[in-house]
Structures are given as C-alpha cells and as structure tokens.
Amino acid sequence: MRIVVQRSKAASVTVDGEIVGRIDKGLVLLVGITHEDTDADARWLADKIAGLRIFEDGQGKMNLSIADIGGQILSVSQFTLYGDCRKGRRPNFMNAARPELAEPLYETFNGMLREAGLPVATGRFGAMMDVSLTNWGPVTLILDSKMQ
C-alpha cells in the first residue's frame, strides 16, 4: 500500500456536486493499493499514521500526533498512486489492484484507523471525486508498506 499523507487545515471530497466527506484540521490520505497488499500492510500503515508526530507542539517542533491535536482523517482511494510512467506518455495502471481486492482492503484500513479512535471521513470508492484541501505547512509525506 502506498499513501500520500497531507497535513490539512480543512478538506472535503465532492462527488457529483455533493460533499461526501469533510474534515477540519487533520490529515488527508490518498490511498493506493496494489495486488499483493494484505491486512498486514493496512495494519502497519494505520499504526504508523495514528502515531505519526507531524503536528507542532508549543515550541514549534513536530511532536504531536493527530490524536494529540484532536484531528480528523479524510481518506480517499487513489489507484493512480500505482501509475507507471516509465514508458511512453500515458501511465500504465497494471500495478493497481482491481476494485474487488482494493475496496475491501481500503475499508479494512479505514476501520483500523477508526479502531484507533480516529474520526475518519471518506470519499466514494471508484467515483470521480473533487478533493479540496488547505495543505497546512505544507507538510506532505509518502508512506509505502513495502519500504518499512
């Protein structure tokens, strides 16, 4: 699994003109899943994100987690994170998991975050989504369960 983590002051996802997910301060997660990903990958990433200290404390140091600041998560599925652009000019998405594998694992991952006590809003799996966010910092990180 590959996740782009963006610290955000506010974010939302709109599908067909309807807001389907919205958060105030917290993290926006763009979540990509490949064929060999398992619940163990989801667990590692959920634990990592829940404990990631990327919010400033009173001294301006990145010392606080999302739970420490009372933040929320907006999780958005994004198969394009597994786009391969090495050849030609059009990305190849063969490394992205098929929806029948990706959607249940995406839901499992979101459930793991909720089990950690984090409020999680989502987009709509497989839909054309408009994602809006105010990147706070900006702070953007890439996590990959295969690079642990």
Side-chain angles (χ1 to χ4, degrees), residues 1 37-45 48 143-148:
M1 289 178 73
D37 288 335
T38 66
D39 285 3
D41 294 286
R43 170 57 59 205
W44 185 83
L45 285 163
K48 178 64 78 176
L143 301 177
D144 193 317
S145 63
K146 303 303 185 235
M147 302 179 104
Q148 37 178 319

Side-chain angles (χ1 to χ4, degrees), residues 121-132:
T122 65
R124 188 170 296 151
F125 189 92
M128 182 62 73
M129 296 176 273
D130 295 330
V131 180
S132 175

Side-chain angles (χ1 to χ4, degrees), residues 2-148:
R2 186 173 292 158
I3 300 179
V4 175
V5 178
Q6 295 179 299
R7 196 173 70 174
S8 178
K9 289 184 177 180
S12 64
V13 176
T14 304
V15 176
D16 294 329
E18 172 194 357
I19 294 177
V20 297
R22 175 185 303 175
I23 65 166
D24 294 318
K25 67 182 178 189
L27 299 173
V28 174
L29 308 179
L30 305 177
V31 182
I33 298 171
T34 192
H35 308 289
E36 50 288 327
D37 288 335
T38 66
D39 285 3
D41 294 286
R43 170 57 59 205
W44 185 83
L45 285 163
D47 290 347
K48 178 64 78 176
I49 289 164
L52 205 55
R53 298 183 329 177
I54 60 171
F55 295 93
E56 280 90 7
D57 62 16
Q59 285 72 46
K61 294 190 184 242
M62 286 187 181
N63 251 347
L64 303 176
S65 71
I66 188 162
D68 294 333
I69 67 152
Q72 304 164 307
I73 289 177
L74 179 61
S75 175
V76 180
S77 63
Q78 188 155 1
F79 76 94
T80 60
L81 290 177
Y82 280 99
D84 184 346
C85 298
R86 291 176 293 179
K87 293 183 182 178
R89 300 194 183 270
R90 186 178 340 167
N92 174 327
F93 297 108
M94 296 301 293
N95 289 329
R98 302 227 5 104
E100 55 271 14
L101 169 70
E103 187 172 12
L105 191 53
Y106 170 70
E107 294 301 335
T108 295
F109 168 72
N110 291 329
M112 290 172 175
L113 292 169
R114 289 182 183 109
E115 288 169 9
L118 300 171
V120 179
T122 65
R124 188 170 296 151
F125 189 92
M128 182 62 73
M129 296 176 273
D130 295 330
V131 180
S132 175
L133 76 135
T134 302
N135 194 315
W136 184 4
V139 173
T140 302
L141 302 167
I142 300 172
L143 301 177
D144 193 317
S145 63
K146 303 303 185 235
M147 302 179 104
Q148 37 178 319

